[in-house]
Amino acid sequence: KNQVEQSPQSLIILEGKNCTLQCNYTVSPFSNLRWYKQDTGRGPVSLTIMTFSENTKSNGRYTATLDADTKQSSLHITASQLSDSASYICVVSRGDYKLSFGAGTTVTVRA
Amino acid sequence: GAVVSQHPSWVICKSGTSVKIECRSLDFQATTMFWYRQFPKQSLMLMATSNEGSKATYEQGVEKDKFLINHASLTLSTLTVTSAHPEDSSFYICSVKSSGTGIGQPQHFGDGTRLSIL
């Protein structure tokens, strides 16, 4: 079954601190893995996309890693800001534009 | 700027009403659009794939007569929830497949429509 598991379900961090979100998947075949940020009441916005051959990609303070062998990915947020409070969704594509979504990790950044 | 525009952003209506949601691709022509539903604290679930000029492809368990999809032009797809009931209350999101080629192209999501059926 094509599944995407994210952890933790939620976390609270202080402004300025770093955090790491995890994503494990069993999706096959694998085309690419995406991390999206979804603000409350809004649609998801793409942060990073990684294909099989890529094991790290950065977008500002967001750095995603991918280990295709162990089928694990992480999203690291550096020097968190209040605006980082959102749900972060790990999405795996099978290459046919069928996407498997994780349930997301809700990040709350507090001053 | 926004690549996908979704309208309305929020709808509250009585049970039995039919509700139409529009999804517009602003930056490019989209032969394929996707409709998702998201319940609170859950991940997005694909409902159907909307194909311009042809019938939509529905996922298993999604009633095509309940959720009517029309993709009449390359920039507009509509989802009509017919005879909506409280259990249809959800967050509906559309997305557009990027016009680029290659396996690393993102999907662009609309800002969603929150549907509340009383």
Side-chain angles (χ1 to χ4, degrees):
Chain A
K1 188 176 182 181
N2 296 309
Q3 288 189 314
V4 179
E5 302 288 341
Q6 289 187 245
S7 62
Q9 185 175 29
S10 63
L11 66 92
I12 300 172
I13 57 173
L14 293 177
E15 187 178 15
K17 298 296 185 182
N18 305 333
C19 67
T20 301
L21 317 179
Q22 301 292 340
C23 174
N24 298 331
Y25 62 92
T26 59
V27 177
S28 182
F30 174 87
S31 175
N32 59 74
L33 185 145
R34 313 149 187 232
W35 283 93
Y36 283 88
K37 178 186 179 186
Q38 184 177 21
D39 292 312
T40 301
R42 306 293 295 273
V45 174
S46 180
L47 293 176
T48 63
I49 300 175
M50 289 180 292
T51 58
F52 185 89
S53 59
E54 299 173 295
N55 53 27
T56 186
K57 183 163 283 189
S58 292
N59 178 357
R61 294 178 297 101
Y62 301 103
T63 300
T65 66
L66 172 65
D67 185 333
D69 292 330
T70 62
K71 298 187 176 182
Q72 295 180 325
S73 177
S74 67
L75 180 69
H76 187 74
I77 305 176
T78 303
S80 61
Q81 299 177 359
L82 297 178
S83 60
D84 292 331
S85 295
S87 178
Y88 292 84
I89 305 172
C90 176
V91 183
V92 181
S93 170
R94 299 200 302 271
D96 54 358
Y97 289 97
K98 284 291 182 69
L99 304 180
S100 296
F101 290 79
T105 293
T106 301
V107 174
T108 303
V109 181
R110 291 187 174 165
Chain B
V3 177
V4 179
S5 172
Q6 200 171 329
H7 178 81
S9 58
W10 198 3
V11 180
I12 302 175
C13 57
K14 294 181 179 179
S15 184
T17 305
S18 291
V19 179
K20 180 185 284 188
I21 303 170
E22 293 186 348
C23 179
R24 293 183 183 275
S25 175
L26 301 179
D27 280 4
F28 50 85
Q29 295 181 332
T31 56
T32 304
M33 294 184 181
F34 304 92
W35 286 98
Y36 295 87
R37 181 167 51 184
Q38 185 179 32
F39 292 105
K41 304 295 184 182
Q42 296 186 23
S43 59
L44 279 73
M45 297 296 295
L46 180 65
M47 298 176 65
T49 302
S50 173
N51 303 297
E52 189 270 336
S54 64
K55 291 183 179 180
T57 304
Y58 290 82
E59 295 300 301
Q60 189 174 8
V62 178
E63 302 174 57
K64 61 180 180 181
D65 294 331
K66 173 77 172 177
F67 300 98
L68 301 179
I69 292 173
N70 187 301
H71 193 156
S73 78
L74 288 171
T75 59
L76 174 65
S77 175
T78 62
L79 168 69
T80 301
V81 183
T82 61
S83 187
H85 292 284
E87 58 266 29
D88 297 323
S89 299
S90 187
F91 193 52
Y92 292 86
I93 306 176
C94 71
S95 75
V96 172
K97 191 178 74 171
S98 174
S99 58
T101 57
I103 59 176
Q105 298 302 316
Q107 282 190 17
H108 302 281
F109 290 86
D111 270 342
T113 297
R114 184 159 303 283
L115 177 62
S116 297
I117 308 298
L118 305 178

